[in-house]
C-alpha cells in the first residue's frame, strides 16, 4: 500500500449493513509512503493505523 498526505483511506464494513468509514491521511509514518499512517476521521478524531486488507487508498488526484 502506498499513500500520501491528503489521500483518503476507505475502510470497508466487515459485516452486512455496516457502512464504510473514510479517513484522511494527515501524516505518513512509514517509509516510501507505506503504513503506518496518522489519520483524521470526519469528527476530528486522530489516530495512527496500519490498514488491513479491507482498506483501499483513494488518492487525492482521484477526487
Amino acid at each position: 500500500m502506498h499513500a500520501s498526505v491528503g489521500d483518503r483511506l476507505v475502510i470497508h464494513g466487515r459485516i452486512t449493513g455496516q457502512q464504510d468509514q473514510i479517513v484522511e491521511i494527515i501524516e505518513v509514518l512509514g517509509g516510501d509512503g507505506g503504513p503506518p499512517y496518522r489519520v483524521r476521521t470526519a469528527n476530528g478524531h486522530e489516530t495512527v493505523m496500519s490498514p488491513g486488507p479491507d482498506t483501499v487508498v483513494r488518492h487525492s488526484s482521484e477526487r
Side-chain angles (χ1 to χ4, degrees):
M1 179 172 287
H2 182 284
S4 302
V5 172
D7 291 349
R8 301 199 187 287
L9 297 177
V10 180
I11 305 134
H12 296 293
R14 293 184 180 187
I15 57 175
T16 303
Q18 187 179 36
Q19 294 183 349
D20 293 348
Q21 181 182 11
I22 300 174
V23 297
E24 179 182 5
I25 296 175
I26 57 174
E27 184 179 4
V28 178
L29 302 171
D32 197 30
Y37 305 111
R38 181 175 308 280
V39 299
R40 181 180 299 129
T41 63
N43 67 2
H45 178 77
E46 294 182 9
T47 191
V48 174
M49 68 177 291
S50 291
D54 56 345
T55 303
V56 294
V57 178
R58 184 180 299 158
H59 297 285
S60 57
S61 61
E62 295 175 1
R63 287 185 256 144

